[in-house]
Amino acid sequence: MLVLFETAAGYAIFKVLDEKKLQEVDSLWKEFETPEKANKIVKLKHFEKFQDTTEALAASTALVEGKLSKNLKKILKKIVAKDAHEQLAIADAKLGGVIKDKLNLSCIHSPMVTELMRGIRSQVEGLITGLPSREMAAMCLGLAHSLSRYKLKFSPDKVDTMIVQAISLLDDLDKELNNYIMRCREWYGWHFPELGKIITDNLTYCKCVQKVGDRKNFSSSDLSDILPEEIEVDVKAAAEISMGTEVSEEDISNILHLCEQDENRGQRPSLAQIQVIEISEYRTQLYDYLKNRMMAIAPNLTVMVGELVGARLIAHAGSLLNLAKHPASTVQILGAEKALFRALKSKRDTPKFGLIYHASLVGQTTPKNKGKISRMLAAKTALSIRYDALGEDSSAELGAENRLKVETRMRQLEEKGIRRISGTGKALARADRYQHKSEVKTFDPSGDSTLPTVAKKRKIEEVVEEETEVKIKAKKIKLELKAIYRYQLESLSLNNPHWEEPFLKGS
């Protein structure tokens, strides 16, 4: 058996001298307690030293990714191919599969090989001759620094970091912008309160305040580039009859400083100077940047839930790869961890959605179907995330297909309420034309009279008919009573033949 052992100084190939001792995996470490014992188990067959740190870094990155480097391929062809009948012990099973496919060599990876590698690593200085320990330590340190720098420089998570930072900054800008705009509306509202009801858009409001300043200047100002003609007329009319208080020029200058945009400053705004218009424009620019980055990194996720919800899911998980490791049930309630653990602790119903609640598909459905749609959307979103994180294709076809499935399901759930219960259940219920069928009641004037009512005189025929009906009913009742009495007497005589004797004696 041959052993491929990778070091920071180069590739080493060992020949196993005694394979019987390798069978005892639990006690194999005893055979590598000293260099002398180790030389009795394995013997160095070939050592290929790296020329410089660049070659060592290339070999290390290839091993980390499970690929076969050109240098290692040459060594295996030169050394191992001569003993093709022997097995090659490999520390990485993935690398062994690549070697077997490309070079047709029999590779082995097992717990026995792991213990053997551990023993060789403990006595590597005694097994590899011609390599001082100081030089080995220096090469290990240099390769570790180079590999760490390479991982940081070319880390795919750094692309996700841009999205995480962008969505965090966007949320912060929204909070700060809302505070500044509300302060501006309150502050200027004391001077011109009617303006806030006429102009509802915050950015337009601040631009009007910045351009006009004092309320008296509205009548002589041209606001056609900011406001439509109808609204401009309403603003000027309200300015003439406003109920606001008079303020000084110093107050107006401070309000303008809160609203204005400094033309002499650069394109990148500073949050230290609170200027609403400039922050609003930067917020729009940041949103466009986030939209482009999301479509480039996670197109399928963006198609399913939108760029804002997708970016928040990535930020909550830490990276796109971490998000891809979550199951669909976790993706569904990401962002609702407090509510979930509170429900588990109090043994109540768990939440149905977290951040995914803000997706457009969940917002379009009816309240009773939001749970079903969020569960299906989370399942399809989890597939899209894994395709974005681990797939090689960068198209958004999978996301568009899954979104169509969710929309179809949502349509089915909405139409389910108007389907017929009986029959085939496939045809929709007919929506007949509505007809108002309420009864029209007329007014009864008999209740308005307060005079006592006098009964009508009945005819002789009516009285005779009533008397005959009463007589017939009385006869029927008598016949029924006689039948009941006869039945009771017969039942007594059957049960007790001498039932009449007490009565006769008494008489």
Side-chain angles (χ1 to χ4, degrees):
M1 180 189 291
L2 299 178
V3 181
L4 175 63
F5 186 77
E6 306 93 356
T7 65
Y11 293 111
I13 296 177
F14 293 94
K15 172 72 175 176
V16 179
L17 301 177
D18 191 357
E19 295 186 12
K20 293 181 180 180
K21 293 185 178 180
L22 299 181
Q23 304 300 327
E24 302 174 359
V25 180
D26 297 334
S27 61
L28 187 59
W29 60 274
K30 297 179 181 179
E31 305 296 332
F32 289 91
E33 289 180 343
T34 60
E36 291 79 13
K37 288 185 177 181
N39 283 313
K40 294 179 181 179
I41 302 296
V42 293
K43 182 182 179 182
L44 181 64
K45 187 174 183 179
H46 180 77
F47 181 72
E48 187 73 19
K49 189 178 180 181
F50 296 132
Q51 299 296 327
D52 51 9
T53 310
T54 306
E55 186 180 353
L57 179 61
S60 299
T61 51
L63 289 172
V64 169
E65 296 173 0
K67 296 179 181 179
L68 185 62
S69 61
K70 293 182 179 180
N71 194 12
L72 179 58
K73 191 175 182 180
K74 289 179 181 179
I75 296 169
L76 293 176
K77 282 184 177 180
K78 187 189 299 183
I79 307 300
V80 183
K82 295 178 181 178
D83 301 326
H85 61 282
E86 294 193 14
Q87 290 182 330
L88 181 65
I90 299 293
D92 187 8
K94 187 177 180 182
L95 180 62
V98 176
I99 293 173
K100 188 176 181 180
D101 293 339
K102 293 189 175 182
L103 300 177
N104 198 17
L105 294 175
S106 179
C107 299
I108 182 174
H109 174 76
S110 62
M112 173 194 68
V113 175
T114 306
E115 289 294 327
L116 179 61
M117 293 290 181
R118 188 175 298 158
I120 293 174
R121 191 177 296 110
S122 63
Q123 301 294 338
V124 66
E125 295 178 2
L127 294 173
I128 300 176
T129 57
L131 190 65
S133 59
R134 183 179 298 177
E135 185 178 352
M136 176 67 81
M139 295 191 74
C140 287
L141 184 61
L143 180 60
H145 286 179
S146 301
L147 189 61
S148 301
R149 192 178 295 111
Y150 173 82
K151 283 186 175 181
L152 289 174
K153 189 175 182 180
F154 298 100
S155 174
D157 293 341
K158 293 184 72 174
V159 182
D160 303 339
T161 306
M162 301 300 171
I163 292 178
V164 173
Q165 296 296 332
I167 191 64
S168 300
L169 179 58
L170 194 68
D171 292 339
D172 292 341
L173 284 178
D174 287 337
K175 291 179 183 178
E176 296 298 325
L177 200 58
N178 188 45
N179 289 334
Y180 298 153
I181 288 171
M182 290 300 105
R183 181 65 60 193
C184 176
R185 280 180 173 271
E186 277 190 45
W187 203 349
Y188 194 74
W190 288 100
H191 179 55
F192 190 7
E194 294 82 4
L195 184 64
K197 295 181 179 179
I198 299 173
I199 303 175
T200 56
D201 185 62
N202 295 325
L203 188 58
T204 308
Y205 183 92
C206 293
K207 286 182 178 179
C208 288
V209 174
Q210 172 208 0
K211 188 170 184 178
V212 177
D214 199 325
R215 181 184 64 203
K216 299 175 183 177
N217 301 331
F218 272 96
S219 58
S220 59
S221 300
D222 183 19
L223 302 175
S224 59
D225 56 337
I226 302 174
L227 298 173
E229 185 177 354
E230 300 82 5
I231 298 179
E232 183 181 0
V233 173
D234 294 342
V235 168
K236 290 182 179 181
E240 295 178 359
I241 57 171
S242 177
M243 299 292 291
T245 60
E246 297 294 334
V247 293
S248 62
E249 293 183 1
E250 186 178 0
D251 297 331
I252 291 292
S253 64
N254 281 291
I255 297 174
L256 292 179
H257 180 69
L258 179 63
C259 298
E260 71 184 359
Q261 180 181 14
D262 195 349
E263 301 294 341
N264 298 324
R265 296 177 59 208
Q267 294 295 326
R268 184 176 298 176
S270 172
L271 292 179
Q273 300 184 13
I274 48 176
Q275 297 168 347
V276 174
I277 298 175
E278 190 170 0
I279 296 176
S280 299
E281 292 179 356
Y282 179 61
R283 195 258 180 207
T284 306
Q285 176 189 347
L286 183 65
Y287 178 71
D288 293 337
Y289 163 77
L290 180 64
K291 188 188 300 183
N292 295 332
R293 296 303 297 169
M294 282 296 295
M295 283 303 297
I297 295 169
N300 295 284
L301 174 62
T302 306
V303 169
M304 287 298 299
V305 297
E307 52 275 346
L308 289 179
V309 178
R312 287 193 174 94
L313 287 173
I314 293 174
H316 198 82
S319 67
L320 183 63
L321 190 61
N322 289 345
L323 185 62
K325 296 176 183 178
H326 290 320
S329 57
T330 305
V331 174
Q332 182 180 350
I333 59 170
L334 272 180
E337 287 82 6
K338 287 186 178 179
L340 173 65
F341 292 118
R342 192 188 310 120
L344 293 175
K345 189 176 181 180
S346 58
K347 295 182 181 180
R348 295 182 179 178
D349 294 338
T350 55
K352 294 180 180 178
F353 25 64
L355 291 170
I356 209 170
Y357 178 80
H358 301 286
S360 59
L361 288 173
V362 179
Q364 291 171 7
T365 188
T366 54
K368 67 176 183 179
N369 295 327
K370 283 186 185 295
K372 295 180 181 179
I373 293 299
S374 63
R375 183 169 63 249
M376 184 177 182
L377 179 62
K380 299 300 181 184
T381 303
L383 293 176
S384 302
I385 293 167
R386 291 164 192 167
Y387 189 82
D388 289 332
L390 307 173
E392 297 179 356
D393 192 7
S394 60
S395 64
E397 294 179 0
L398 181 68
E401 184 180 350
N402 289 336
R403 185 181 177 89
L404 182 61
K405 291 180 181 178
V406 178
E407 290 175 351
T408 305
R409 176 61 177 162
M410 183 171 64
R411 201 177 302 114
Q412 289 175 353
L413 289 173
E414 289 176 355
E415 293 176 354
K416 191 176 180 180
I418 60 172
R419 289 184 182 272
R420 290 189 299 182
I421 298 174
S422 61
T424 59
K426 296 180 180 178
L428 294 176
R430 291 182 180 179
D432 295 332
R433 187 176 178 182
Y434 175 73
Q435 293 181 355
H436 187 68
K437 298 179 181 178
S438 61
E439 297 179 359
V440 179
K441 295 183 178 180
T442 57
F443 178 72
D444 185 12
S446 61
D448 295 342
S449 177
T450 57
L451 297 175
T453 56
V454 180
K456 282 184 178 183
K457 290 185 178 180
R458 292 184 296 174
K459 295 180 180 180
I460 299 173
E461 293 85 1
E462 294 178 358
V463 174
V464 171
E465 288 179 359
E466 289 182 1
E467 289 178 354
T468 54
E469 287 180 359
V470 170
K471 289 179 180 178
I472 291 170
K473 288 181 181 179
K475 283 183 179 180
K476 287 183 179 180
I477 293 170
K478 286 181 180 179
L479 291 173
E480 290 176 357
L481 290 173
K482 285 181 179 180
I484 292 170
Y485 180 68
R486 191 180 298 112
Y487 174 76
Q488 289 177 350
L489 290 176
E490 290 176 356
S491 62
L492 286 172
S493 62
L494 289 173
N495 293 331
N496 188 8
H498 306 285
W499 66 277
E500 294 179 350
E501 291 178 3
F503 295 99
L504 295 174
K505 291 178 181 179
S507 60

